[in-house]
Amino acid sequence: MDAAATAPAPRGAHKVVAVGGELGTARNGDGGDKAWRWRAWRAPPRMEVVVAVFLVTLTLLVLGLGLGGGGSLSAFSSPKIEFAQKPAASRDPNPAPPPVPTRHEHDDQDRLIGGLLSPAFDEQSCRSRYASSLYRRPSPFRPSNYLVERLRRYEARHRRCGQGGPLFKEAVEHLRSGRNAARSECQYVVWTPFNGLGNRMLSLASTFLYALLTDRVLLVHAPQEFDGLFCEPFPGSSWTLPADFPITDFDGTFTMRSPTSYRNMRQAGAVSGDHRNVTAERLPAYVFLDLIQSFTDAAFCEADQRVLAKFNWMVIKSDVYFAPMFFLMPPYERELERLFPEKAAVFHHLARYLFHPSNDVWAIVQRYYEANLARADERVGLQVRVFPEMPVPSENLYGQIVRCAEQEGLLPKVVQAGDGAVSNSSSAMASSESRKKKFTSILVTSLFSEYYERIRGVYDTNPTETGEYVEVHQPSHEREQRTEALGHNQRALAEIYLLSFCDRIVTSAVSTFGYIAHGLAGVRPWVLLRPPSPEAPADPACVQSKTVEPCFQAPPRGMCGTVQGGTDMGALVPHVRHCEDFHRGLKLFS
């Protein structure tokens, strides 16, 4: 599993170019070394031109943010979470790429993502909510009218049952007293985070879908390292638990041994699996669903769902995208069909509705994008994740990246050194004089800098076939994940959104960071497959996913007696199949 995969730390935004050399070598199937080359050329800018363009861009950005005339940049960002800027390379005398184009205007349907978003928010309170679509190509998916209707109904219920109102106060009093009320107008599901940022976003989206399906109100336990990452998603009422909420020690209270765990209640005989034998007023004040990597508590069985429906308070802790399991449950089949006629867009719609970076995080995203990515005709994102449980040597992983780029034509190709290199480059440059040169930006996100530096080196030392401009960027690197730090998570979220603005995306297998980025973008990624061992090469190097959906990496081995004796859970219904990057996992297909 992946925690917050490529969370960044201070690193320069590099603008680099190619003028000679080869990309590197990769181990082939027979154990030999084979050289792999990308053919491309990019004219690097003069240092003084880069500085001038940077200053002009910064000035326009400041004016665009409304900071002219005495405004303060510090009002929109914190130095603790900024990406450090580094001067661009200055070794080549060629001119800089063209200036940043004006961003396109979008109509109200684009602004509200086809009605997915409510228009009831003040734009200045959350600048990312209505602006994200300016930075991405139009989504290939459109939310159903029924999903839009259900979201508006949910928002009304959240306001009616949300904190501060009499119904919420009454429900909290029942919780405080240890009693489960027999009849309650409002029922709640409280989400508590576990593991890294990517895992948290996947499980939170799944929990919100569960709230939609069961008419519960979603509330979020936001510890310090999570608080302030996102804007409030529901108009008129907060999703964050109030400071005086009766349960305070979430880490100590909700463990696999907790007596309030539904699984442990069942095993101890405290509740019956037959809902007809369960009386609501005799139940504990709340129930805990432990959905951490396969501790499913029989939560996805119809009979158990009928029992769980009698609890007014539910707490869910999870680090996986468990939404696909609802599509295997007959009671939810009709509702899900109406909500998501395109099943491959479930997370895409949920994430674009729920997750809007706070103004602090959005300021980082916006500035970095405008300064480094906005001018490009095409943006290619490369997300590299190395997992501690399988520490693939950097040389092997780099070779896999090269093979993937070569076989799929994902990156501009460089001219091979040797015979014809100069003439080919000259011919390409001459033929491109009469037309605008293509400009490609490559965005690398990783905890490590090695992959960025080697790719940058290729375009810094090699001419190209087409004469197109190429820039390579890595916002930051930290070498280790620090989920407990708010600044780390803010930078990680900024990089997820920058990656989601790319036109083509390459991600690492089983990385939840990558799942979030391509899910937000609505782009089918090329996935760098896991090798059979750290020393062996992955074959093929990568595959393009058939869906933009994340993978549910930890499905239960059996489900309500349905899956017995080796029955394949990925073959029960046509739209739930196994994942390309993790065969035992499940994902949604249209």
Side-chain angles (χ1 to χ4, degrees):
M1 309 300 153
D2 182 24
T6 58
R11 173 127 193 118
H14 295 270
K15 300 177 182 178
V16 298
V17 297
V19 286
E22 65 183 32
L23 179 61
T25 58
R27 187 78 53 187
N28 63 24
D30 59 7
D33 288 327
K34 181 176 180 180
W36 298 91
R37 306 170 188 269
W38 294 332
R39 305 171 182 266
W41 176 88
R42 176 233 192 259
R46 292 180 186 267
M47 183 62 178
E48 57 269 28
V49 175
V50 171
V51 172
V53 171
F54 173 77
L55 292 175
V56 171
T57 303
L58 181 59
T59 301
L60 291 173
L61 179 57
V62 169
L63 292 174
L65 287 172
L67 301 181
S72 171
L73 188 63
S74 64
F76 295 90
S77 66
S78 167
K80 296 180 181 179
I81 58 173
E82 273 292 4
F83 293 146
Q85 299 297 315
K86 185 175 179 179
S90 60
R91 72 184 74 175
D92 194 276
N94 292 290
V100 179
T102 303
R103 292 184 301 173
H104 69 278
E105 298 294 333
H106 62 343
D107 60 26
D108 199 54
Q109 280 297 302
D110 291 332
R111 176 177 171 273
L112 300 178
I113 317 180
L116 193 70
L117 304 181
S118 167
F121 286 95
D122 170 23
E123 293 194 26
Q124 294 306 306
S125 67
C126 183
R127 296 183 183 87
S128 67
R129 187 187 314 277
Y130 303 126
S132 293
S133 58
L134 287 168
Y135 296 83
R136 296 190 185 103
R137 290 189 176 181
S139 171
F141 306 103
R142 185 175 182 84
S144 68
N145 292 335
Y146 184 67
L147 174 60
V148 170
E149 174 194 330
R150 288 286 282 110
L151 290 174
R152 300 295 88 83
R153 282 163 48 192
Y154 172 83
E155 292 163 0
R157 182 168 67 251
H158 198 103
R159 286 191 298 271
R160 186 174 67 255
C161 298
Q163 58 175 289
L167 293 174
F168 181 77
K169 291 178 181 178
E170 180 184 358
V172 169
E173 284 308 310
H174 285 299
L175 178 63
R176 203 184 303 273
S177 68
R179 293 180 290 112
N180 186 70
R183 285 179 292 275
S184 178
E185 184 177 343
C186 299
Q187 291 186 307
Y188 301 87
V189 55
V190 178
W191 174 86
T192 185
F194 184 76
N195 221 322
L197 179 61
N199 302 78
R200 294 178 180 199
M201 294 174 72
L202 290 174
S203 67
L204 182 49
S206 303
T207 304
F208 177 64
L209 177 59
Y210 184 66
L212 280 181
L213 293 173
T214 57
D215 290 327
R216 291 181 179 269
V217 171
L218 170 66
L219 297 174
V220 169
H221 165 233
Q224 182 274 333
E225 77 278 3
F226 192 81
D227 190 31
L229 284 178
F230 299 101
C231 302
E232 293 280 356
F234 312 128
S237 182
S238 176
W239 68 345
T240 305
L241 288 176
D244 60 349
F245 193 70
I247 302 172
T248 56
D249 183 13
F250 277 78
D251 289 337
T253 302
F254 302 109
T255 69
M256 63 183 297
R257 294 181 176 85
S258 170
T260 60
S261 160
Y262 182 67
R263 177 172 178 265
N264 294 338
M265 285 185 187
R266 285 285 309 277
Q267 291 180 345
V271 296
S272 168
D274 186 346
H275 69 96
R276 293 168 296 185
N277 298 329
V278 176
T279 305
E281 59 267 26
R282 302 188 66 179
L283 291 173
Y286 64 89
V287 63
F288 167 45
L289 287 189
D290 184 357
L291 304 184
I292 295 174
Q293 299 189 20
S294 251
F295 289 102
T296 59
D297 285 354
F300 304 111
C301 299
E302 180 177 354
D304 292 289
Q305 283 291 308
R306 291 179 179 270
V307 175
L308 290 169
K310 299 187 179 185
F311 284 92
N312 294 319
W313 286 94
M314 175 186 294
V315 177
I316 286 182
K317 179 185 283 188
S318 175
D319 58 348
V320 289
Y321 181 63
F322 57 88
M325 291 303 296
F326 300 128
F327 289 81
L328 297 177
M329 300 178 64
Y332 299 134
E333 183 177 2
R334 185 173 181 275
E335 182 74 358
L336 288 169
E337 180 64 35
R338 297 180 68 193
L339 288 169
F340 303 104
E342 293 181 289
K343 296 176 181 63
V346 172
F347 180 77
H348 179 67
H349 292 319
L350 293 176
R352 283 155 66 103
Y353 173 76
L354 279 180
F355 302 126
H356 307 289
S358 66
N359 283 351
D360 280 346
V361 177
W362 183 248
I364 302 172
V365 173
Q366 188 180 46
R367 280 194 295 272
Y368 194 89
Y369 179 89
E370 295 287 1
N372 300 289
L373 303 176
R375 292 172 296 173
D377 299 303
E378 183 173 50
R379 288 165 285 275
V380 180
L382 172 61
Q383 183 256 338
V384 184
R385 173 62 161 149
V386 180
F387 292 89
E389 67 271 20
M390 183 176 280
V392 178
S394 61
E395 185 67 29
N396 291 12
L397 184 51
Y398 177 71
Q400 182 178 352
I401 295 169
V402 175
R403 287 188 290 121
C404 174
E406 182 79 12
Q407 74 186 30
E408 301 294 340
L410 296 175
L411 295 176
K413 294 182 180 180
V414 297
V415 175
Q416 296 187 27
D419 293 342
V422 175
S423 60
N424 287 344
S425 176
S426 300
S427 175
M429 292 174 64
S431 64
S432 64
E433 288 296 328
S434 60
R435 67 180 186 273
K436 178 183 180 293
K437 295 177 183 177
K438 183 181 178 182
F439 177 20
T440 298
S441 283
I442 301 169
L443 178 72
V444 180
T445 62
S446 178
L447 287 171
F448 304 96
S449 62
E450 292 92 323
Y451 308 101
Y452 155 74
E453 289 168 353
R454 293 190 68 170
I455 295 170
R456 181 191 67 173
V458 171
Y459 291 104
D460 201 29
T461 55
N462 283 275
T464 70
E465 288 183 340
T466 60
E468 65 188 277
Y469 293 112
V470 176
E471 289 185 352
V472 182
H473 307 278
Q474 181 175 7
S476 57
H477 67 93
E478 287 192 355
R479 302 197 69 82
E480 63 180 17
Q481 185 174 306
R482 296 185 294 114
T483 303
E484 73 287 350
L486 176 61
H488 175 99
N489 290 328
Q490 289 173 315
R491 292 188 294 269
L493 181 59
E495 286 205 5
I496 285 175
Y497 269 77
L498 288 168
L499 192 62
S500 79
F501 296 156
C502 293
D503 305 302
R504 295 193 284 178
I505 300 176
V506 181
T507 65
S508 296
V510 305
S511 169
T512 61
F513 186 103
Y515 290 167
I516 302 293
H518 72 70
L520 282 166
V523 169
R524 293 190 298 123
W526 282 266
V527 183
L528 296 167
L529 298 177
R530 276 188 156 182
S533 71
E535 295 76 24
D539 185 23
C542 63
V543 296
Q544 186 174 20
S545 176
K546 293 181 173 61
T547 173
V548 306
E549 275 287 292
C551 178
F552 175 28
Q553 296 174 353
R557 297 187 181 277
M559 183 176 173
C560 317
T562 302
V563 180
Q564 300 281 352
T567 302
D568 185 0
M569 289 186 73
L572 294 177
V573 295
H575 46 272
V576 178
R577 294 179 243 158
H578 292 295
C579 311
E580 297 93 348
D581 59 335
F582 191 71
H583 181 69
R584 196 174 76 82
L586 300 174
K587 68 191 302 187
L588 294 166
F589 292 75
S590 289

